[in-house]
């Protein structure tokens, strides 16, 4: 096996462990009772607008039962609202509430400021390249 792949595996293992911990931290910054994947869910809703619960589950990479549990918790906290999908009454359409959007954006801006501080010594082209490569990796992992 090429030398690059054991090094890649090591770095991805550390990165993913830290990312999971940071995701939980970010979710708790929005609300102390949220699960780690809730931040990604809120991010997706803010970024793309309302979506079906099944689309959100596929994007986050969780099952329908997990998504239902998370949406119920977020709805109980007043961060999201669910409505029957007009195109399919069996499906749910989910969107951020005004409070959910406000709380999420406050945390997101603080996180972005932290990234700016932590990567201040990087060349902006390196930051852009890292984002491009991570996006490419995420697309490959979706399959």
């Amino acid at each position: 096996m090429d030398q690059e792949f054991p090094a890649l595996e090591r770095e991805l293992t550390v990165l993913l462990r830290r990312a999971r911990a940071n995701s939980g931290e970010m979710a708790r910054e929005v609300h102390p009772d949220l699960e780690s994947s809730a931040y990604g869910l809120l991010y997706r809703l803010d970024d793309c607008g309302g979506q079906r619960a099944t689309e959100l589950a596929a994007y986050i990479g969780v099952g329908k039962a997990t998504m239902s549990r998370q949406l119920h918790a977020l709805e109980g906290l007043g961060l999201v609202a669910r409505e029957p999908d007009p195109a399919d009454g069996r499906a749910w359409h989910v969107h951020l509430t005004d409070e959910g959007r406000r709380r999420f954006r406050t945390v997101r801006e603080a996180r972005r400021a932290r990234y700016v501080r932590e990567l201040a010594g990087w060349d902006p082209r390196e930051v852009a390249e890292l984002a491009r490569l991570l996006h490419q990796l995420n697309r490959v992992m979706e399959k």
Side-chain angles (χ1 to χ4, degrees):
M1 185 178 286
D2 294 338
Q3 288 298 107
E4 296 84 13
F5 287 98
L8 175 64
E9 180 186 11
R10 179 188 66 241
E11 293 304 322
L12 280 175
T13 299
V14 172
L15 175 68
L16 294 173
R17 189 191 73 226
R18 288 179 178 163
R20 182 166 171 79
N22 282 336
S23 180
E25 177 186 316
M26 288 185 278
R28 285 185 294 281
E29 288 174 13
V30 175
H31 192 279
D33 297 330
L34 292 181
E35 295 182 34
S36 62
S37 61
Y39 185 82
L41 177 64
L42 296 172
Y43 196 103
R44 180 69 172 188
L45 288 170
D46 187 63
D47 192 41
C48 297
Q51 296 188 347
R52 283 186 174 185
T54 53
E55 293 170 330
L56 291 168
Y59 176 78
I60 299 296
V62 298
K64 290 178 185 178
T66 299
M67 180 56 56
S68 180
R69 186 180 71 250
Q70 286 185 355
L71 290 175
H72 183 72
L74 290 168
E75 193 173 30
L77 296 170
L79 302 177
V80 302
R82 292 189 287 179
E83 301 166 351
D85 187 331
D88 181 354
R90 300 168 296 166
W92 290 98
H93 191 263
V94 182
H95 61 88
L96 285 175
T97 62
D98 290 341
E99 176 67 6
R101 184 172 292 102
R102 184 193 66 74
R103 289 171 71 178
F104 169 74
R105 288 182 177 176
T106 298
V107 171
R108 183 187 62 193
E109 292 307 315
R111 300 303 297 185
R112 286 181 177 175
R114 179 177 165 191
Y115 294 141
V116 167
R117 286 191 310 273
E118 291 176 354
L119 300 176
W122 286 40
D123 182 296
R125 291 174 298 211
E126 291 175 320
V127 175
E129 180 66 2
L130 176 60
R132 186 189 70 75
L133 290 171
L134 288 172
H135 177 73
Q136 184 176 335
L137 179 61
N138 277 322
R139 289 185 56 94
V140 166
M141 299 303 244
E142 284 178 5
K143 298 175 182 175

